[in-house]
Amino acid sequence: QMTQSPSSLSAFVGDRVTITCRASQRIDGYLNWYQQKPGKAPKVLMYGAVNLQSGVPSRFSGSGSEIVFTLTISNLQSEDSAIYYCQQSYSTPITFGGGTKVEIK
Amino acid sequence: EVQLVESGGGLVQPGRSLRLSCVASGFNFDEYAMHWVRQLPGKGLEWVSGISSNGHSIGYGHSVSGRFSISRDNAKNSVYLYMYSLTTEDTALYYCAKATCGGESCHSVAYNWLDPWGHGTLVTVSS
């Protein structure tokens, strides 16, 4: 089970925001982050907790290793308005966090 | 370019069955595990099922285990989701997604990330 927080946040352009995902057991870094915009399929942002997917802006970063993981967006941009999900792929059933809705003030 | 195209969704009555299909192109299909993920209306993502590249290893989410069945036909570059005893709680957009491990293959259901995803096929269960 993946517990994601907060469920929503609102911030200004240029702010730094952090989303946290907590696993119910060790998942050894098998943690991925996805971004979903309205009407679109999710897209991977980070894989293996700390690796930036090709083409994703460097203002996105990830950290964590065993149970607690974070996604940080530095210098928030208007196009970052979306819902963000964490996902563990350490064991089946694979599970997603509940999502964090990021809004721009 | 990797493409995943889902089909088979539609309106179905409770208790009935449905088969979803996902046709893949742009990569060596038999080298990659595949997944189905669903999204209930206005809700988050829920992993439904995954199948290894050779079809020998399969996993299901808790809410569909025993009712849904996944399979693949590597000769047709296709993965299927058979859904039985459908309920209104199965109403969702169903996505097909390719497992990715960063290399030229990704055989296992676990230890990977989902990239890319298809556009989804909508399943509505209603009387």
Side-chain angles (χ1 to χ4, degrees):
Chain A
Q1 184 175 344
M2 305 301 294
T3 303
Q4 192 173 335
S5 62
S7 57
S8 66
L9 65 88
S10 183
F12 291 100
V13 169
D15 281 353
R16 175 187 176 101
V17 301
T18 299
I19 300 168
T20 300
C21 194
R22 176 181 291 269
S24 58
Q25 63 183 49
R26 276 185 56 185
I27 57 173
D28 287 353
Y30 288 100
L31 189 285
N32 309 310
W33 291 97
Y34 299 86
Q35 177 193 65
Q36 186 179 33
K37 295 186 175 181
K40 301 291 187 180
K43 293 174 59 177
V44 64
L45 294 176
M46 310 287 305
Y47 60 90
V50 299
N51 301 292
L52 190 67
Q53 172 73 350
S54 176
V56 174
S58 59
R59 61 180 179 273
F60 290 91
S61 63
S63 66
S65 58
E66 293 189 356
I67 293 178
V68 180
F69 301 84
T70 60
L71 173 71
T72 299
I73 311 174
S74 304
N75 189 21
L76 188 70
Q77 299 297 301
S78 58
E79 60 264 33
D80 300 333
S81 177
I83 300 177
Y84 295 84
Y85 297 94
C86 63
Q87 173 234 347
Q88 68 80 17
S89 65
Y90 179 73
S91 65
T92 58
I94 289 168
T95 46
F96 288 88
T100 296
K101 185 175 185 177
V102 174
E103 295 182 321
I104 310 299
K105 288 182 180 177
Chain B
E1 179 191 7
V2 173
Q3 283 196 325
L4 302 171
V5 180
E6 303 95 334
S7 63
L11 176 63
V12 61
Q13 293 179 327
R16 302 299 291 266
S17 303
L18 203 61
R19 187 191 81 162
L20 305 184
S21 301
C22 172
V23 178
S25 60
F27 64 101
N28 294 326
F29 184 74
D30 59 0
E31 294 288 334
Y32 291 86
M34 297 293 294
H35 298 267
W36 287 97
V37 178
R38 71 183 182 182
Q39 188 163 35
L40 280 62
K43 301 297 184 182
L45 303 172
E46 179 185 8
W47 183 74
V48 174
S49 183
I51 185 168
S52 62
S53 60
N54 61 8
H56 292 173
S57 180
I58 286 172
Y60 296 99
H62 291 308
S63 62
V64 306
S65 183
R67 297 190 302 121
F68 288 13
S69 178
I70 191 172
S71 68
R72 63 189 295 158
D73 184 338
N74 286 348
K76 294 184 178 181
N77 284 4
S78 295
V79 60
Y80 307 99
L81 185 68
Y82 298 83
M83 305 185 294
Y84 305 99
S85 302
L86 287 162
T87 75
T88 56
E89 295 180 351
D90 295 315
T91 293
L93 183 62
Y94 286 75
Y95 292 104
C96 169
K98 169 182 165 286
T100 300
C101 301
E104 294 300 316
S105 63
C106 194
H107 299 288
S108 173
V109 176
Y111 312 123
N112 54 58
W113 56 98
L114 278 57
D115 179 57
W117 300 50
H119 292 293
T121 186
L122 182 63
V123 173
T124 303
V125 184
S126 175
S127 55

